[in-house]
Each structure stands twice: as structure tokens, then as C-alpha cells.
Amino acid sequence: MRASQSRQKSYADQRQKPLEFVVGDHVFLRVTLTTGVGRAIRARKLSLRYLGPYQILRRIRPIAYKITMLPKLANLHPMFHVSQLRKYVPDPSHVLEAEDVQIRGDLSVEVQPVRVEDSQTKQPQGETVRLVKVI
């Protein structure tokens, strides 16, 4: 029994990487029901598995970190176990530029079409309906 446990421990030790972060690193936060994050944002079948990236404010212990939180997650405690965090590797392609969009008073947006891709005419139940695919 001891030989089997020793072998299992050696396999686990080879695959396990110690995660450590420093203040200022960015991490993703795992969304699970056990951490309370899932309950705060209503975790569903197709919801995100990770939120973030968030910045680490303070290292409490090698296994506990305090991170910055969004206002919508203000009801959660800001300290998390290292198992709930995942390292964020910065990539310039992750930065999205926001377009200058003018929003009307009725919260609608005017979008100019680029070109007409395809046009069809259908006649369901005796009515003539023209379908236009616009890019």
C-alpha cells in the first residue's frame, strides 16, 4: 500500500506546478459555484469560465492573493486561493479599439451599409417579400 501511495505521490508531484504571483501581475478569476463568483453573476451552461484580467493588489500568503474587483462583483470578498486564479499573459492583440458610435435618445445606433451582397424575392402565402443581404 505504501509503495502504491509513494508512486502516486511522485506522479502528482511531477505534474503539479507551484503557482506564485507578484503584486502587479494580472490574473483571470475562475467562475465556479463554490467560490461564490458563479452565484454573483448567475453561472449558466454557456457562461464564461474565467473573468478578468484583474490586477493583484497584495499577496497574503503564497496561496492567497487579494485582487482588484469590478463594482458588479463588490459583494464578493477580494481574496482568493491560488487555485481560483490563472496567470494572464499580456498580448497586444487582446486590446480592442472602441469605435466612435453615436447613440440616439431611444438607445438605437445608426449604421451605414457598406455594400449589398445578395438580393432575393420570395412569395410566401401569396405575398411578395424582398430579402436583401447587406454588409
Side-chain angles (χ1 to χ4, degrees):
M1 184 72 143
R2 286 188 182 153
S4 175
Q5 288 177 346
S6 174
R7 193 172 332 124
Q8 289 261 322
K9 182 179 179 339
S10 67
Y11 290 149
D13 289 346
Q14 289 175 0
R15 290 191 168 91
Q16 188 176 13
K17 297 178 193 173
L19 277 177
E20 288 195 19
F21 304 106
V22 295
V23 174
D25 279 355
H26 286 82
V27 294
F28 288 112
L29 178 62
R30 183 178 304 185
V31 177
T32 59
L33 291 175
T34 57
T35 60
V37 178
R39 282 176 271 168
I41 62 168
R42 296 182 75 196
R44 292 188 177 140
K45 187 175 184 179
L46 298 177
S47 64
L48 298 173
R49 292 182 185 207
Y50 292 94
L51 295 177
Y54 299 111
Q55 187 174 13
I56 293 183
L57 294 176
R58 201 172 90 199
R59 178 180 171 177
I60 309 301
R61 293 189 187 127
I63 59 167
Y65 294 91
K66 183 176 183 177
I67 63 173
T68 58
M69 298 297 287
L70 290 177
K72 71 176 186 178
L73 299 176
N75 59 342
L76 293 177
H77 199 274
M79 285 191 266
F80 292 95
H81 190 269
V82 72
S83 66
Q84 299 302 319
L85 304 175
R86 178 179 238 180
K87 187 169 181 72
Y88 169 70
V89 179
D91 187 5
S93 66
H94 292 166
V95 178
L96 301 176
E97 294 184 21
E99 298 177 12
D100 187 23
V101 178
Q102 300 294 326
I103 300 175
R104 298 184 195 147
D106 61 347
L107 300 178
S108 63
V109 178
E110 182 179 341
V111 179
Q112 297 295 328
V114 177
R115 68 177 185 270
V116 175
E117 183 77 20
D118 191 18
S119 177
Q120 291 181 352
T121 303
K122 291 190 175 185
Q123 294 182 340
Q125 298 177 357
E127 292 184 33
T128 302
V129 178
R130 185 161 185 229
L131 302 174
V132 179
K133 184 176 181 182
V134 179
I135 303 291

Tab-separated table of all heavy atoms in Angstrom, residues 29 40-41 51 53-54 67-78:
chain	number	residue	atom	x	y	z
A	29	LEU	N	-9.864	35.147	-13.073
A	29	LEU	CA	-10.572	34.587	-11.925
A	29	LEU	C	-11.514	33.500	-12.416
A	29	LEU	O	-12.336	33.729	-13.310
A	29	LEU	CB	-11.354	35.682	-11.208
A	29	LEU	CG	-12.191	35.278	-10.016
A	29	LEU	CD1	-11.306	34.695	-8.919
A	29	LEU	CD2	-12.963	36.467	-9.494
A	40	ALA	N	-22.678	35.105	-7.972
A	40	ALA	CA	-22.783	36.549	-8.126
A	40	ALA	C	-23.151	36.951	-9.548
A	40	ALA	O	-23.801	37.958	-9.759
A	40	ALA	CB	-21.465	37.209	-7.734
A	41	ILE	N	-22.747	36.144	-10.550
A	41	ILE	CA	-23.036	36.515	-11.933
A	41	ILE	C	-23.984	35.537	-12.616
A	41	ILE	O	-24.115	35.558	-13.821
A	41	ILE	CB	-21.740	36.624	-12.760
A	41	ILE	CG1	-21.038	35.282	-12.821
A	41	ILE	CG2	-20.855	37.701	-12.241
A	41	ILE	CD1	-19.944	35.246	-13.844
A	51	LEU	N	-13.058	35.144	-15.574
A	51	LEU	CA	-13.309	36.574	-15.671
A	51	LEU	C	-11.982	37.301	-15.552
A	51	LEU	O	-11.074	36.848	-14.869
A	51	LEU	CB	-14.223	37.038	-14.542
A	51	LEU	CG	-15.644	36.506	-14.518
A	51	LEU	CD1	-16.352	37.019	-13.286
A	51	LEU	CD2	-16.388	36.910	-15.765
A	53	PRO	N	-8.933	40.235	-17.217
A	53	PRO	CA	-7.911	40.076	-16.189
A	53	PRO	C	-8.052	41.100	-15.066
A	53	PRO	O	-8.496	42.214	-15.290
A	53	PRO	CB	-6.613	40.283	-16.957
A	53	PRO	CG	-6.974	41.179	-18.076
A	53	PRO	CD	-8.387	40.842	-18.436
A	54	TYR	N	-7.668	40.682	-13.882
A	54	TYR	CA	-7.646	41.541	-12.704
A	54	TYR	C	-6.209	41.664	-12.211
A	54	TYR	O	-5.401	40.765	-12.389
A	54	TYR	CB	-8.510	40.954	-11.574
A	54	TYR	CG	-9.962	40.817	-11.945
A	54	TYR	CD1	-10.541	39.571	-12.121
A	54	TYR	CD2	-10.750	41.939	-12.121
A	54	TYR	CE1	-11.872	39.452	-12.458
A	54	TYR	CE2	-12.080	41.816	-12.468
A	54	TYR	CZ	-12.633	40.576	-12.636
A	54	TYR	OH	-13.949	40.463	-12.977
A	67	ILE	N	-7.162	40.668	-4.990
A	67	ILE	CA	-7.180	41.224	-6.340
A	67	ILE	C	-8.168	42.377	-6.421
A	67	ILE	O	-9.034	42.533	-5.555
A	67	ILE	CB	-7.545	40.152	-7.390
A	67	ILE	CG1	-8.953	39.625	-7.157
A	67	ILE	CG2	-6.543	39.019	-7.377
A	67	ILE	CD1	-9.431	38.687	-8.246
A	68	THR	N	-8.028	43.208	-7.451
A	68	THR	CA	-8.987	44.288	-7.686
A	68	THR	C	-10.277	43.664	-8.192
A	68	THR	O	-10.264	42.649	-8.881
A	68	THR	CB	-8.470	45.281	-8.743
A	68	THR	OG1	-8.218	44.571	-9.947
A	68	THR	CG2	-7.228	45.977	-8.277
A	69	MET	N	-11.397	44.264	-7.851
A	69	MET	CA	-12.694	43.701	-8.247
A	69	MET	C	-13.518	44.760	-8.972
A	69	MET	O	-13.410	45.949	-8.692
A	69	MET	CB	-13.469	43.227	-7.022
A	69	MET	CG	-12.792	42.115	-6.246
A	69	MET	SD	-12.592	40.607	-7.160
A	69	MET	CE	-14.247	40.029	-7.182
A	70	LEU	N	-14.371	44.316	-9.884
A	70	LEU	CA	-15.299	45.199	-10.566
A	70	LEU	C	-16.432	45.577	-9.617
A	70	LEU	O	-16.731	44.835	-8.684
A	70	LEU	CB	-15.895	44.488	-11.781
A	70	LEU	CG	-14.951	44.231	-12.940
A	70	LEU	CD1	-15.684	43.447	-14.013
A	70	LEU	CD2	-14.432	45.518	-13.512
A	71	PRO	N	-17.099	46.712	-9.860
A	71	PRO	CA	-18.220	47.082	-8.989
A	71	PRO	C	-19.354	46.055	-8.977
A	71	PRO	O	-20.014	45.872	-7.967
A	71	PRO	CB	-18.697	48.406	-9.586
A	71	PRO	CG	-17.526	48.951	-10.306
A	71	PRO	CD	-16.755	47.772	-10.801
A	72	LYS	N	-19.577	45.328	-10.110
A	72	LYS	CA	-20.665	44.342	-10.117
A	72	LYS	C	-20.340	43.136	-9.241
A	72	LYS	O	-21.225	42.382	-8.874
A	72	LYS	CB	-20.988	43.899	-11.537
A	72	LYS	CG	-19.948	43.035	-12.186
A	72	LYS	CD	-20.406	42.568	-13.538
A	72	LYS	CE	-19.412	41.593	-14.118
A	72	LYS	NZ	-19.824	41.066	-15.392
A	73	LEU	N	-19.055	42.936	-8.896
A	73	LEU	CA	-18.656	41.841	-8.007
A	73	LEU	C	-18.260	42.354	-6.624
A	73	LEU	O	-17.524	41.699	-5.904
A	73	LEU	CB	-17.486	41.068	-8.620
A	73	LEU	CG	-17.747	40.393	-9.962
A	73	LEU	CD1	-16.480	39.765	-10.489
A	73	LEU	CD2	-18.851	39.374	-9.842
A	74	ALA	N	-18.767	43.529	-6.263
A	74	ALA	CA	-18.397	44.141	-4.990
A	74	ALA	C	-18.891	43.336	-3.791
A	74	ALA	O	-18.346	43.469	-2.692
A	74	ALA	CB	-18.934	45.567	-4.921
A	75	ASN	N	-19.896	42.484	-3.976
A	75	ASN	CA	-20.406	41.691	-2.855
A	75	ASN	C	-19.509	40.500	-2.523
A	75	ASN	O	-19.731	39.820	-1.546
A	75	ASN	CB	-21.830	41.218	-3.146
A	75	ASN	CG	-21.903	40.377	-4.404
A	75	ASN	OD1	-21.003	40.408	-5.242
A	75	ASN	ND2	-22.978	39.640	-4.541
A	76	LEU	N	-18.479	40.242	-3.326
A	76	LEU	CA	-17.543	39.145	-3.069
A	76	LEU	C	-16.353	39.625	-2.267
A	76	LEU	O	-15.953	40.780	-2.355
A	76	LEU	CB	-17.025	38.560	-4.384
A	76	LEU	CG	-18.037	37.833	-5.241
A	76	LEU	CD1	-17.374	37.381	-6.518
A	76	LEU	CD2	-18.608	36.656	-4.504
A	77	HIS	N	-15.788	38.723	-1.518
A	77	HIS	CA	-14.566	39.023	-0.792
A	77	HIS	C	-13.415	39.061	-1.802
A	77	HIS	O	-13.322	38.184	-2.662
A	77	HIS	CB	-14.314	37.942	0.267
A	77	HIS	CG	-13.379	38.382	1.326
A	77	HIS	ND1	-12.023	38.275	1.190
A	77	HIS	CD2	-13.594	38.960	2.529
A	77	HIS	CE1	-11.436	38.754	2.268
A	77	HIS	NE2	-12.369	39.175	3.101
A	78	PRO	N	-12.515	40.051	-1.739
A	78	PRO	CA	-11.491	40.200	-2.784
A	78	PRO	C	-10.300	39.257	-2.663
A	78	PRO	O	-9.388	39.326	-3.475
A	78	PRO	CB	-11.043	41.650	-2.622
A	78	PRO	CG	-11.289	41.955	-1.194
A	78	PRO	CD	-12.508	41.164	-0.810
